[in-house]
Amino acid sequence: MAAKLFGGDVSEAKRFYEEVRSNDLDTQWVTYRYEGNTLELGGNGENLDDLFSKTEENFNDNDRVYAYVRFETGDEMSRRAKFAFITWIGPAVSVLKKGKVSTDKAFVKQVFVEFGKEFLCDTRSELSQSKMLKDLEKASGAAYGTGR
């Protein structure tokens, strides 16, 4: 079932997942969106602003999107990568398609297996880069230094 979601080949999704997780590569995010009943690559990039500043492009009102995102957190004493799994269900998505998202998400999580926080968003205001970063920082534990 999971293979069907990624067009019969989960290897591309796993490759992008590993790129986002890699400390040696610049990829910061990847999205997958439904084309019919199949998940297709929506996009990927090296700049979080490209993902969050273009919400209408990346998270359309008619779309269902899964995103895996790398955030840098910490302060001058300790920088670390934290990962978020975002599920977007646009406000114009039908009830039947909304229901399918929760079922399919279990299969998507078999590819995007490690993340610090999961976000379920259905309004644009929830797609806030700064809010997500703050939530990840809270979940990361103790903070040292001045916060810069």
Side-chain angles (χ1 to χ4, degrees):
M1 180 89 172
K4 177 184 171 215
L5 288 175
F6 293 102
D9 181 15
V10 298
S11 62
E12 176 190 76
K14 287 180 180 179
R15 180 175 61 84
F16 280 115
Y17 166 78
E18 292 299 332
E19 282 185 19
V20 172
R21 291 197 60 80
S22 175
N23 292 326
D24 298 325
L25 299 173
D26 293 329
T27 305
Q28 297 290 300
W29 58 273
V30 62
T31 63
Y32 278 86
R33 67 174 20 104
Y34 286 89
E35 295 294 332
N37 290 325
T38 304
L39 279 177
E40 300 288 336
L41 178 65
N44 66 308
E46 298 176 358
N47 186 334
L48 286 182
D49 290 337
D50 289 342
L51 177 66
F52 288 104
S53 69
K54 300 175 184 174
T55 58
E56 289 184 31
E57 225 175 276
N58 294 313
F59 303 98
N60 189 286
D61 285 354
N62 296 306
D63 281 342
R64 296 165 290 155
V65 178
Y66 301 100
Y68 191 72
V69 182
R70 177 190 189 101
F71 289 88
E72 294 293 325
T73 67
D75 52 37
E76 80 281 2
M77 300 287 287
S78 175
R79 299 293 301 165
R80 41 201 178 275
K82 294 293 178 184
F83 301 91
F85 177 69
I86 302 168
T87 303
W88 165 256
I89 303 172
V93 171
S94 72
V95 172
L96 185 62
K97 289 180 179 179
K98 285 179 184 181
K100 184 140 177 61
V101 168
S102 62
T103 305
D104 291 348
K105 188 188 319 187
F107 296 108
V108 175
K109 285 182 176 179
Q110 291 176 4
V111 176
F112 301 153
V113 293
E114 294 185 37
F115 48 89
K117 186 123 176 91
E118 179 177 351
F119 297 92
L120 175 60
C121 305
D122 59 7
T123 64
R124 292 212 190 284
S125 63
E126 294 171 318
L127 292 169
S128 165
Q129 180 179 349
S130 61
K131 181 186 178 311
M132 287 181 182
L133 179 59
K134 285 179 187 175
D135 286 352
L136 278 166
E137 287 172 339
K138 286 179 191 175
S140 70
Y144 304 99
T146 62
R148 289 189 224 147

